[in-house]
Amino acid sequence: MLTLGIETSCDETSVAVVREGSEILSNVILSQSDHSKFGGVVPEIAGRAHLRKIVGVYRQALREAGVKLENIDLIAATMGPGLIGPLLVGLTFAKGLAFASSIPFIAVHHIEGHIAANLLEHHDLQSHHLTLIVSGGHTMLVEVNGFGAYHILGATRDDAAGEAFDKVAKLLGLGYPGGAKLDHLASTGNPKFIRFPRPMLKEPGYQFSYSGLKTAVALYLKKLSPYEVQQQLADIAASFQEAAVMVLVEKTVRAAQELHLSDVTISGGVAANSRLQTVLAERLTAIGCRLFYPSLPLCTDNGAMIAAAGYFRFQNEGASELAVSAVPYLKLGV
Ligand code: KG4
Ligand code: ZN
């Protein structure tokens, strides 16, 4: 069974073809660069860019997979959460294709897509596992009781982890989106140079908060001259990253222990963070758990994860109505 997956919830236009929810035949990802000069995603610009690019990305995905539309058995598209304009472009395109070609259509939750990114690549992952979702818009710990059955343990009260990386990267002059650049810069810095606060680390439960950490970095930078900032740039990046990552690591390890879950996954853009991958793997291995994370192109937004999630959801409950609409604040598990 071939699934076409379409993702346009934010600033990546992506279309993929996936066989049986596990074999990627193509995964074309076009990241919009139009937003960097604004320091964040401009929804109106993103929507228009998706509209300009979607047909070309779709054709390339079919070409790279070596298939035609008539070979596709299911069309999956992100319905939310995300930016309304961008969501509508991908969703409407998918529904149009499905209607015109009488192919079943399935609407997909973006976060379920991130969760499914691990299912695509790690076939020995236990269906009952713990997942840490860390992206530009979300930070949450979820107990996965099989595909589609989610128990949200905790989430961020304010900024998402990726948002904090992007805001601090901006403060350090690394541009937008700066998470990956900050990760790279931090690898040459001293993570113990400044002890930035580790928000909510000691509090029980699995809530997160990232706005205070970003403010702490901003206040620290204010006290420095431009020369000092340049001198300390890598050390500040490493110290911020250490604080941001340690909170994620401690809470994830605690959840794995408290819920007696031996398999743990991370997903979303921040799952690509090298320090998070290294420290979390060390800590989980030490307590007999296994850590899984997607390969780099599957960490950030992509059509293959939407195709995989669509495939599994279709197995469970069949196709969606074509009347389904985009929902910017769609909750997980409802
Ligand atoms: O999952 P994603 O593509 O989009 C959302 O659904 O939000 O995640 C994008 C986020 C951005 O905030 C980006 O800066 C962050 O993931 N990111 C990283 C790294 N690579 C991407 N953050 C930290 N370290 C990285 N290596
Ligand atoms: Zn995402």
Side-chain angles (χ1 to χ4, degrees), residues 203-227:
E203 290 183 33
Y206 305 110
Q207 303 291 320
F208 300 91
S209 167
Y210 275 103
S211 67
L213 174 57
K214 169 211 65 196
T215 307
V217 177
L219 291 175
Y220 180 82
L221 288 170
K222 254 191 177 169
K223 291 191 219 131
L224 303 182
S225 69
Y227 175 76

Side-chain angles (χ1 to χ4, degrees), residues 110 114 135 301 305:
H110 181 77
H114 278 302
S135 70
D301 294 348
M305 70 182 197

Side-chain angles (χ1 to χ4, degrees), residues 14-86:
S14 181
V15 182
V17 179
V18 173
R19 181 178 284 139
E20 307 306 335
S22 61
E23 187 193 346
I24 301 175
L25 302 188
S26 65
N27 190 20
V28 181
I29 306 167
L30 194 87
S31 296
Q32 301 173 2
S33 54
D34 321 49
H35 308 282
S36 52
K37 58 180 175 292
F38 300 103
V41 177
V42 183
E44 179 69 19
I45 293 177
R48 285 167 191 261
H50 285 303
L51 211 46
R52 280 198 308 275
K53 303 292 181 190
I54 187 108
V55 175
V57 172
Y58 156 73
R59 286 194 177 135
Q60 193 180 334
L62 288 186
R63 204 166 43 242
E64 286 185 15
V67 299
K68 295 195 163 27
L69 181 60
E70 57 258 36
N71 305 124
I72 299 291
D73 303 294
L74 177 67
I75 298 176
T78 308
M79 70 173 287
L83 302 168
I84 186 70

